[in-house]
Amino acid sequence: MNEEIIELKGLTKRYGYGDTESFALKDFNLTIRRGEFIMIMGPSGCGKTTLLNIIGLLDRATDGEYTLNGENVASISTTRRAKIRAKKIGFVFQNFNLIDNLSILENVALPLVYINRPRTVRLQNASDALARFHLQEKEYYHPSQLSGGQQQRAAIARAIVSDPEIILADEPTGNLDSRASNVVMEELKSIHEEGNTIIMVTHNPALTTYATRVINMLDGQIDTDIKTVADHNLPQPIEKRNKKRKRSRRRRNN
Ligand SMILES: Nc1ncnc2c1ncn2[C@@H]1O[C@H](COP(=O)(O)OP(=O)(O)OP(=O)(O)O)[C@@H](O)[C@H]1O
Ligand SMILES: [Mg+2]
């Protein structure tokens, strides 16, 4: 069975003090296994983005524990957080966060700077990622010259370009028509089938057919949590699968 990669225990995010005190997350508990495709739903303001930002190491909880790949990451240094994030996590933001004075190609190549890939490799990988989302003709455009849907697809290409094992996506299909939305979901599906873990926020119940688990949030807590695929049936990471295949081949040959 795939190992647990994310464990959140008693996570709390508080804003303000005294009369203005409010909680975006309240004693939030969640364990995620490698290979899960989780969809998070819930009304506006219930804490979905806050949760993704904390899991993605972009924000810190006020209280509670966060274990990522067995490492307690709740209180590690900002530099270490940035390093882990660059290596392991791809993030699709609710508002894209593309940088307008860079071309689309340079935007998508950016995560590879942080893991020290040479420039030619960066541009080639970025170009391949853009092609997956049918944006190869827009490589040299700037974000403001693209439609909302195209910007969203570019933002997803940027999130997957470094081949991260965890993809966090905040409404990645929110601005897309159904055709473009299908392209994105099929792409996420194939990334998931490679054994990666996806946590995606959506308001569209029709998309939950792609998920292995659907979590409904309410007021900073989990309201319902339903697994539609059993833990032992989650896709395995590719390296493991290859090892297994090699092993059975060896057995056959003996
Ligand atoms: N910087 C901040 N200061 C104070 N309150 C904040 C801050 N950021 C978020 N909040 C509050 O935390 C709560 C959760 O916000 P969050 O953005 O996580 O909601 P959400 O579920 O993603 O909503 P949406 O579906 O509208 O994107 C909200 O009530 C919000 O007002
Ligand atoms: Mg949000």
Side-chain angles (χ1 to χ4, degrees):
M1 198 166 3
N2 290 355
E3 75 274 26
E4 294 171 353
I5 52 168
I6 290 172
E7 191 176 19
L8 309 174
K9 262 196 203 160
L11 220 60
T12 294
K13 181 70 180 179
R14 186 189 60 225
Y15 287 111
Y17 290 94
D19 289 347
T20 64
E21 184 180 76
S22 68
F23 291 91
L25 292 175
K26 250 185 299 190
D27 188 23
F28 193 94
N29 300 294
L30 179 63
T31 303
I32 299 175
R33 276 182 200 281
R34 184 181 299 284
E36 287 199 82
F37 191 158
I38 299 180
M39 290 214 189
I40 298 187
M41 305 186 66
S44 180
C46 71
K48 304 181 295 295
T49 298
T50 307
L51 176 67
L52 281 201
N53 286 343
I54 292 174
I55 293 177
L57 300 173
L58 293 165
D59 196 1
R60 286 175 197 267
T62 318
D63 227 321
E65 290 171 32
Y66 175 10
T67 313
L68 175 63
N69 281 125
E71 180 177 356
N72 171 8
V73 291
S75 49
I76 56 173
S77 74
T78 309
T79 330
R80 175 95 186 111
R81 292 162 75 86
K83 229 178 227 163
I84 297 176
R85 191 167 59 234
K87 233 173 89 190
K88 297 195 171 161
I89 299 171
F91 212 113
V92 184
F93 295 92
Q94 195 165 11
N95 49 5
F96 319 141
N97 280 6
L98 296 166
I99 298 167
D100 203 52
N101 54 16
L102 297 181
S103 71
I104 289 297
L105 188 67
E106 290 165 324
N107 264 286
V108 173
L110 207 51
L112 302 171
V113 172
Y114 307 119
I115 50 173
N116 304 320
R117 293 288 148 78
R119 185 176 155 80
T120 43
V121 173
R122 293 202 302 264
L123 297 180
Q124 187 56 55
N125 290 359
S127 183
D128 293 345
L130 282 167
R132 277 175 92 160
F133 293 97
H134 311 298
L135 284 171
Q136 58 272 52
E137 276 131 50
K138 305 284 181 189
E139 284 184 357
Y140 297 102
Y141 284 56
H142 284 245
S144 61
Q145 298 170 308
L146 263 55
S147 73
Q150 289 165 342
Q151 288 183 44
Q152 186 129 29
R153 279 183 281 147
I156 298 165
R158 182 185 55 186
I160 61 146
V161 74
S162 58
D163 212 6
E165 53 193 78
I166 301 170
I167 317 259
L168 305 171
D170 205 345
E171 293 237 38
T173 61
N175 294 281
L176 304 179
D177 60 32
S178 61
R179 199 173 135 262
S181 168
N182 282 339
V183 171
V184 165
M185 290 315 300
E186 288 301 318
E187 231 13 89
L188 287 178
K189 184 178 165 188
S190 76
I191 292 165
H192 171 242
E193 282 166 352
E194 288 163 15
N196 297 304
T197 310
I198 303 181
I199 308 167
M200 169 180 156
V201 170
T202 182
H203 280 115
N204 185 354
L207 299 184
T208 55
T209 50
Y210 286 94
T212 65
R213 182 176 184 182
V214 181
I215 293 176
N216 266 288
M217 285 180 63
L218 198 61
D219 294 336
Q221 290 186 316
I222 291 179
D223 187 31
T224 60
D225 179 356
I226 296 169
K227 289 186 181 179
T228 51
V229 172
D231 287 344
H232 61 267
N233 285 333
L234 293 171
Q236 295 211 333
I238 283 182
E239 327 88 70
K240 264 197 196 159
R241 255 185 271 167
N242 289 345
K243 265 187 216 147
K244 247 195 195 162
R245 229 175 277 146
K246 266 188 210 148
R247 239 181 282 139
S248 58
R249 214 180 299 142
R250 225 177 290 139
R251 239 178 274 139
R252 267 201 308 272
N253 293 342
N254 285 342

